[in-house]
Amino acid sequence: MKDQLCRALVLENRVRIFICKTTDMVQEARDRFDLHPCACAALGRTLTIGSMMGSMLKDEQEMLNITINGHGPIGTIMVDAYSNGDVCGFCSNPHVEDIHINDKKLNVGAVVGKNGTLTVTKNLHMQDNFSGTVQLQTGEIGEDFAYYFAVSEQTPTAVSVGVLVDPNGNVLSAGGLILQMLPDATEEDICICENIIQGLKPMSTLILDYEDVGLKRLVQDIFDAPNLLSTQEIHYSCPCSKERMASGLSCLKDEDLKEMIEVDKGCSVTCNFCNEQYSFSVEDLKQILEKKHV
């Protein structure tokens, strides 16, 4: 099963559900940045939730940015998410030393830290974009986003997310689930959703269990008679290009560009979000410099 995101309404359309498989995109992030296991789990969880949150946007031109900094050894985690569910992102320290619980489970919270904030900024192509910031609660990512939805967006939300990494750092499975109460949801609906979340296996295990039958079947097994809305493929996808990097270089001072031309004989620029490297020759830089004064 390719990475995909499934959206549905459940409990007589009073609760909406987002569920996704993100194994391939997390593996791509791992490969692009040579992520060590704890960094892979932390960034992978954020990418997974970012994909579901991106799909909540109403216009294909909209996007959102997630920034997490708990002042732990991993540093900052940053993810860009788009309305089609595609995401890209990075963490400051991809080689952070692993911390375990009982020598087995990766201790993501200890690596991320919780003495900091989670910020979501939505670029809605309006005069004022939406931005919400909350204090991190655990650094485990899922609980922190549940708190964000409750406080910043006033939407009762349950979040479950998981990344399973083998000792060599390969991603065996990754996925996430978001349950959100709609305005007409009842207290009984909330109790039902809480019980379901508490009774579920870890998301990484569920993704493995349903690898052959797909996410629709998983939704149908969790809830009776769900109203399935859509299923779409999702990817690790960065919008960077050499043209965009050239535009960034054009913002440099003339003397800096001239030094790159005369002294460095060119330059290379690396995208933070996908680690793709773009090379600019002396002729490339001369063209950038000339266009600045056209």
Side-chain angles (χ1 to χ4, degrees), residues 164-209:
L164 182 62
V165 184
D166 72 14
N168 296 319
N170 297 308
V171 182
L172 301 179
S173 66
L177 168 71
I178 289 178
L179 285 174
Q180 286 196 324
M181 307 302 117
L182 295 177
D184 57 348
T186 66
E187 288 297 325
E188 183 180 358
D189 294 330
I190 294 174
C191 289
I192 291 172
C193 290
E194 288 177 344
N195 290 333
I196 286 173
I197 289 289
Q198 291 172 2
L200 283 178
K201 295 180 181 178
M203 279 307 304
S204 55
T205 302
L206 284 174
I207 295 301
L208 282 176
D209 290 346

Short mmCIF file of all heavy atoms in Angstrom, two decimals, residues 164-209:
data_model
loop_
_atom_site.label_atom_id
_atom_site.label_comp_id
_atom_site.label_asym_id
_atom_site.label_seq_id
_atom_site.Cartn_x
_atom_site.Cartn_y
_atom_site.Cartn_z
N LEU A 164 7.65 3.36 13.61
CA LEU A 164 8.40 2.19 14.05
C LEU A 164 9.69 2.11 13.24
O LEU A 164 9.66 2.01 12.01
CB LEU A 164 7.57 0.93 13.86
CG LEU A 164 8.22 -0.39 14.32
CD1 LEU A 164 8.50 -0.35 15.82
CD2 LEU A 164 7.33 -1.58 13.97
N VAL A 165 10.81 2.19 13.95
CA VAL A 165 12.13 2.20 13.31
C VAL A 165 12.93 1.00 13.80
O VAL A 165 12.96 0.70 15.01
CB VAL A 165 12.89 3.50 13.66
CG1 VAL A 165 14.21 3.57 12.92
CG2 VAL A 165 12.03 4.72 13.34
N ASP A 166 13.59 0.30 12.87
CA ASP A 166 14.40 -0.83 13.30
C ASP A 166 15.76 -0.34 13.80
O ASP A 166 16.09 0.85 13.67
CB ASP A 166 14.52 -1.88 12.18
CG ASP A 166 15.43 -1.44 11.03
OD1 ASP A 166 16.19 -0.45 11.20
OD2 ASP A 166 15.40 -2.08 9.97
N PRO A 167 16.57 -1.21 14.41
CA PRO A 167 17.85 -0.78 14.99
C PRO A 167 18.80 -0.13 13.99
O PRO A 167 19.69 0.64 14.37
CB PRO A 167 18.45 -2.08 15.55
CG PRO A 167 17.26 -2.95 15.83
CD PRO A 167 16.28 -2.63 14.73
N ASN A 168 18.62 -0.43 12.70
CA ASN A 168 19.47 0.17 11.67
C ASN A 168 18.94 1.51 11.17
O ASN A 168 19.54 2.13 10.29
CB ASN A 168 19.61 -0.80 10.49
CG ASN A 168 20.31 -2.08 10.87
OD1 ASN A 168 21.30 -2.06 11.61
ND2 ASN A 168 19.81 -3.21 10.38
N GLY A 169 17.79 1.93 11.71
CA GLY A 169 17.23 3.21 11.32
C GLY A 169 16.23 3.15 10.19
O GLY A 169 15.70 4.18 9.77
N ASN A 170 15.96 1.97 9.65
CA ASN A 170 14.97 1.84 8.59
C ASN A 170 13.55 1.95 9.15
O ASN A 170 13.27 1.45 10.23
CB ASN A 170 15.14 0.50 7.87
CG ASN A 170 16.49 0.39 7.18
OD1 ASN A 170 16.88 1.26 6.42
ND2 ASN A 170 17.20 -0.69 7.47
N VAL A 171 12.67 2.59 8.40
CA VAL A 171 11.30 2.81 8.85
C VAL A 171 10.45 1.61 8.46
O VAL A 171 10.24 1.32 7.28
CB VAL A 171 10.72 4.10 8.23
CG1 VAL A 171 9.30 4.33 8.75
CG2 VAL A 171 11.60 5.29 8.58
N LEU A 172 9.96 0.90 9.46
CA LEU A 172 9.13 -0.28 9.21
C LEU A 172 7.68 0.12 8.97
O LEU A 172 6.99 -0.50 8.14
CB LEU A 172 9.22 -1.24 10.39
CG LEU A 172 10.62 -1.75 10.73
CD1 LEU A 172 10.56 -2.69 11.94
CD2 LEU A 172 11.23 -2.47 9.52
N SER A 173 7.19 1.13 9.68
CA SER A 173 5.83 1.61 9.48
C SER A 173 5.69 2.98 10.14
O SER A 173 6.39 3.30 11.10
CB SER A 173 4.78 0.65 10.05
OG SER A 173 4.88 0.58 11.46
N ALA A 174 4.75 3.75 9.61
CA ALA A 174 4.46 5.06 10.19
C ALA A 174 3.05 5.46 9.78
O ALA A 174 2.59 5.15 8.68
CB ALA A 174 5.46 6.12 9.71
N GLY A 175 2.36 6.14 10.70
CA GLY A 175 1.01 6.59 10.38
C GLY A 175 0.41 7.37 11.53
O GLY A 175 1.01 7.48 12.61
N GLY A 176 -0.77 7.90 11.28
CA GLY A 176 -1.41 8.71 12.31
C GLY A 176 -2.92 8.72 12.18
O GLY A 176 -3.48 8.35 11.14
N LEU A 177 -3.57 9.17 13.25
CA LEU A 177 -5.02 9.25 13.32
C LEU A 177 -5.40 10.52 14.06
O LEU A 177 -4.83 10.83 15.12
CB LEU A 177 -5.59 8.03 14.06
CG LEU A 177 -7.06 8.06 14.49
CD1 LEU A 177 -7.97 7.94 13.27
CD2 LEU A 177 -7.35 6.93 15.48
N ILE A 178 -6.33 11.29 13.50
CA ILE A 178 -6.90 12.45 14.17
C ILE A 178 -8.41 12.30 14.20
O ILE A 178 -9.03 12.07 13.15
CB ILE A 178 -6.51 13.76 13.46
CG1 ILE A 178 -5.02 14.07 13.66
CG2 ILE A 178 -7.34 14.93 13.99
CD1 ILE A 178 -4.55 15.32 12.94
N LEU A 179 -8.99 12.43 15.39
CA LEU A 179 -10.44 12.43 15.55
C LEU A 179 -10.84 13.81 16.07
O LEU A 179 -10.35 14.25 17.12
CB LEU A 179 -10.88 11.37 16.57
CG LEU A 179 -10.86 9.91 16.13
CD1 LEU A 179 -11.17 9.01 17.32
CD2 LEU A 179 -11.85 9.67 15.02
N GLN A 180 -11.73 14.50 15.35
CA GLN A 180 -12.14 15.84 15.76
C GLN A 180 -13.65 15.92 15.94
O GLN A 180 -14.41 15.47 15.08
CB GLN A 180 -11.70 16.87 14.72
CG GLN A 180 -10.22 17.16 14.74
CD GLN A 180 -9.86 18.42 14.01
OE1 GLN A 180 -10.45 18.74 12.99
NE2 GLN A 180 -8.89 19.16 14.52
N MET A 181 -14.03 16.52 17.07
CA MET A 181 -15.45 16.71 17.35
C MET A 181 -15.97 17.90 16.54
O MET A 181 -15.40 18.99 16.58
CB MET A 181 -15.68 16.99 18.84
CG MET A 181 -15.07 15.98 19.79
SD MET A 181 -15.65 14.29 19.54
CE MET A 181 -14.09 13.50 19.08
N LEU A 182 -17.05 17.70 15.81
CA LEU A 182 -17.71 18.80 15.11
C LEU A 182 -18.67 19.51 16.08
O LEU A 182 -18.95 18.99 17.17
CB LEU A 182 -18.43 18.26 13.89
CG LEU A 182 -17.49 17.66 12.81
CD1 LEU A 182 -18.29 17.08 11.64
CD2 LEU A 182 -16.49 18.69 12.32
N PRO A 183 -19.16 20.69 15.72
CA PRO A 183 -19.96 21.48 16.67
C PRO A 183 -21.14 20.75 17.31
O PRO A 183 -21.51 21.05 18.45
CB PRO A 183 -20.43 22.67 15.82
CG PRO A 183 -19.33 22.85 14.82
CD PRO A 183 -18.90 21.45 14.47
N ASP A 184 -21.76 19.81 16.58
CA ASP A 184 -22.93 19.12 17.14
C ASP A 184 -22.57 17.81 17.85
O ASP A 184 -23.45 17.01 18.19
CB ASP A 184 -23.98 18.86 16.06
CG ASP A 184 -23.42 18.06 14.88
OD1 ASP A 184 -22.18 17.91 14.81
OD2 ASP A 184 -24.22 17.60 14.04
N ALA A 185 -21.27 17.56 18.07
CA ALA A 185 -20.86 16.35 18.78
C ALA A 185 -21.36 16.39 20.23
O ALA A 185 -21.42 17.44 20.86
CB ALA A 185 -19.35 16.21 18.75
N THR A 186 -21.73 15.23 20.74
CA THR A 186 -22.26 15.12 22.10
C THR A 186 -21.18 14.63 23.06
O THR A 186 -20.12 14.16 22.65
CB THR A 186 -23.44 14.14 22.12
OG1 THR A 186 -22.95 12.82 21.80
CG2 THR A 186 -24.51 14.54 21.09
N GLU A 187 -21.50 14.70 24.35
CA GLU A 187 -20.58 14.17 25.36
C GLU A 187 -20.39 12.67 25.16
O GLU A 187 -19.30 12.13 25.39
CB GLU A 187 -21.12 14.45 26.76
CG GLU A 187 -21.04 15.90 27.18
CD GLU A 187 -19.60 16.40 27.27
OE1 GLU A 187 -18.72 15.59 27.66
OE2 GLU A 187 -19.36 17.58 26.95
N GLU A 188 -21.45 12.01 24.73
CA GLU A 188 -21.35 10.57 24.47
C GLU A 188 -20.37 10.30 23.34
O GLU A 188 -19.58 9.35 23.39
CB GLU A 188 -22.73 9.99 24.12
CG GLU A 188 -22.70 8.48 23.91
CD GLU A 188 -24.08 7.92 23.56
OE1 GLU A 188 -25.05 8.70 23.52
OE2 GLU A 188 -24.16 6.70 23.33
N ASP A 189 -20.41 11.14 22.29
CA ASP A 189 -19.47 10.99 21.18
C ASP A 189 -18.03 11.12 21.67
O ASP A 189 -17.15 10.36 21.26
CB ASP A 189 -19.72 12.05 20.11
CG ASP A 189 -21.07 11.89 19.42
OD1 ASP A 189 -21.55 10.75 19.33
OD2 ASP A 189 -21.63 12.92 18.98
N ILE A 190 -17.81 12.10 22.54
CA ILE A 190 -16.47 12.31 23.08
C ILE A 190 -16.00 11.08 23.86
O ILE A 190 -14.86 10.62 23.71
CB ILE A 190 -16.44 13.57 23.98
CG1 ILE A 190 -16.70 14.82 23.13
CG2 ILE A 190 -15.11 13.68 24.70
CD1 ILE A 190 -16.85 16.10 23.94
N CYS A 191 -16.89 10.52 24.66
CA CYS A 191 -16.55 9.33 25.45
C CYS A 191 -16.24 8.15 24.54
O CYS A 191 -15.28 7.39 24.78
CB CYS A 191 -17.69 8.97 26.40
SG CYS A 191 -17.90 10.13 27.76
N ILE A 192 -17.03 7.99 23.49
CA ILE A 192 -16.82 6.89 22.54
C ILE A 192 -15.44 7.02 21.90
O ILE A 192 -14.67 6.05 21.81
CB ILE A 192 -17.92 6.87 21.47
CG1 ILE A 192 -19.25 6.45 22.08
CG2 ILE A 192 -17.53 5.93 20.31
CD1 ILE A 192 -20.43 6.58 21.13
N CYS A 193 -15.11 8.23 21.45
CA CYS A 193 -13.83 8.46 20.78
C CYS A 193 -12.66 8.24 21.75
O CYS A 193 -11.64 7.66 21.37
CB CYS A 193 -13.78 9.87 20.20
SG CYS A 193 -14.88 10.10 18.79
N GLU A 194 -12.81 8.69 22.98
CA GLU A 194 -11.76 8.48 23.98
C GLU A 194 -11.53 6.99 24.22
O GLU A 194 -10.38 6.53 24.31
CB GLU A 194 -12.12 9.18 25.29
CG GLU A 194 -12.03 10.69 25.22
CD GLU A 194 -12.48 11.36 26.51
OE1 GLU A 194 -13.15 10.67 27.33
OE2 GLU A 194 -12.19 12.54 26.70
N ASN A 195 -12.61 6.24 24.32
CA ASN A 195 -12.48 4.79 24.53
C ASN A 195 -11.85 4.10 23.34
O ASN A 195 -11.05 3.16 23.50
CB ASN A 195 -13.86 4.18 24.83
CG ASN A 195 -14.39 4.58 26.19
OD1 ASN A 195 -13.63 4.87 27.10
ND2 ASN A 195 -15.72 4.61 26.32
N ILE A 196 -12.20 4.56 22.13
CA ILE A 196 -11.63 3.96 20.93
C ILE A 196 -10.13 4.20 20.88
O ILE A 196 -9.33 3.29 20.63
CB ILE A 196 -12.32 4.52 19.67
CG1 ILE A 196 -13.73 3.93 19.54
CG2 ILE A 196 -11.50 4.25 18.41
CD1 ILE A 196 -14.55 4.52 18.43
N ILE A 197 -9.73 5.45 21.13
CA ILE A 197 -8.31 5.78 21.09
C ILE A 197 -7.53 4.96 22.13
O ILE A 197 -6.45 4.42 21.86
CB ILE A 197 -8.09 7.29 21.34
CG1 ILE A 197 -8.56 8.10 20.11
CG2 ILE A 197 -6.63 7.59 21.65
CD1 ILE A 197 -7.68 7.94 18.90
N GLN A 198 -8.11 4.86 23.34
CA GLN A 198 -7.43 4.11 24.41
C GLN A 198 -7.32 2.62 24.08
O GLN A 198 -6.37 1.96 24.51
CB GLN A 198 -8.18 4.31 25.72
CG GLN A 198 -8.07 5.73 26.28
CD GLN A 198 -8.98 5.97 27.48
OE1 GLN A 198 -9.68 5.06 27.92
NE2 GLN A 198 -8.98 7.20 28.00
N GLY A 199 -8.28 2.11 23.32
CA GLY A 199 -8.28 0.69 23.03
C GLY A 199 -7.52 0.30 21.77
O GLY A 199 -7.32 -0.90 21.51
N LEU A 200 -7.07 1.27 21.01
CA LEU A 200 -6.37 0.97 19.77
C LEU A 200 -4.94 0.50 20.02
O LEU A 200 -4.29 0.91 20.98
CB LEU A 200 -6.30 2.21 18.87
CG LEU A 200 -7.55 2.62 18.10
CD1 LEU A 200 -7.28 3.90 17.31
CD2 LEU A 200 -8.01 1.51 17.17
N LYS A 201 -4.47 -0.35 19.14
CA LYS A 201 -3.05 -0.69 19.13
C LYS A 201 -2.26 0.56 18.73
O LYS A 201 -2.82 1.51 18.19
CB LYS A 201 -2.78 -1.80 18.11
CG LYS A 201 -3.43 -3.14 18.40
CD LYS A 201 -3.08 -4.13 17.30
CE LYS A 201 -3.73 -5.48 17.52
NZ LYS A 201 -3.42 -6.42 16.41
N PRO A 202 -0.95 0.58 18.96
CA PRO A 202 -0.14 1.69 18.47
C PRO A 202 -0.34 1.87 16.96
O PRO A 202 -0.51 0.88 16.23
CB PRO A 202 1.29 1.27 18.80
CG PRO A 202 1.14 0.33 19.95
CD PRO A 202 -0.15 -0.41 19.71
N MET A 203 -0.32 3.12 16.50
CA MET A 203 -0.58 3.39 15.08
C MET A 203 0.40 2.66 14.17
O MET A 203 0.03 2.16 13.11
CB MET A 203 -0.53 4.89 14.80
CG MET A 203 -1.79 5.64 15.16
SD MET A 203 -3.31 4.94 14.44
CE MET A 203 -2.93 4.96 12.69
N SER A 204 1.66 2.59 14.57
CA SER A 204 2.64 1.91 13.73
C SER A 204 2.28 0.43 13.57
O SER A 204 2.47 -0.16 12.49
CB SER A 204 4.05 2.06 14.31
OG SER A 204 4.08 1.61 15.65
N THR A 205 1.72 -0.16 14.62
CA THR A 205 1.29 -1.57 14.54
C THR A 205 0.06 -1.71 13.65
O THR A 205 -0.03 -2.64 12.82
CB THR A 205 0.97 -2.11 15.94
OG1 THR A 205 2.12 -1.99 16.77
CG2 THR A 205 0.54 -3.57 15.89
N LEU A 206 -0.90 -0.80 13.77
CA LEU A 206 -2.10 -0.85 12.93
C LEU A 206 -1.76 -0.71 11.46
O LEU A 206 -2.33 -1.39 10.60
CB LEU A 206 -3.07 0.26 13.34
CG LEU A 206 -3.88 0.03 14.62
CD1 LEU A 206 -4.68 1.28 14.97
CD2 LEU A 206 -4.81 -1.16 14.48
N ILE A 207 -0.82 0.19 11.15
CA ILE A 207 -0.42 0.37 9.75
C ILE A 207 0.15 -0.92 9.19
O ILE A 207 -0.15 -1.30 8.05
CB ILE A 207 0.59 1.53 9.62
CG1 ILE A 207 -0.06 2.86 10.00
CG2 ILE A 207 1.15 1.60 8.21
CD1 ILE A 207 -1.26 3.25 9.18
N LEU A 208 0.94 -1.62 9.98
CA LEU A 208 1.47 -2.92 9.53
C LEU A 208 0.35 -3.94 9.37
O LEU A 208 0.31 -4.68 8.38
CB LEU A 208 2.50 -3.44 10.55
CG LEU A 208 3.89 -2.83 10.52
CD1 LEU A 208 4.73 -3.39 11.66
CD2 LEU A 208 4.58 -3.10 9.18
N ASP A 209 -0.58 -3.97 10.33
CA ASP A 209 -1.66 -4.95 10.29
C ASP A 209 -2.56 -4.77 9.06
O ASP A 209 -3.11 -5.74 8.53
CB ASP A 209 -2.52 -4.85 11.55
CG ASP A 209 -1.80 -5.35 12.80
OD1 ASP A 209 -0.74 -6.00 12.66
OD2 ASP A 209 -2.29 -5.08 13.92
#
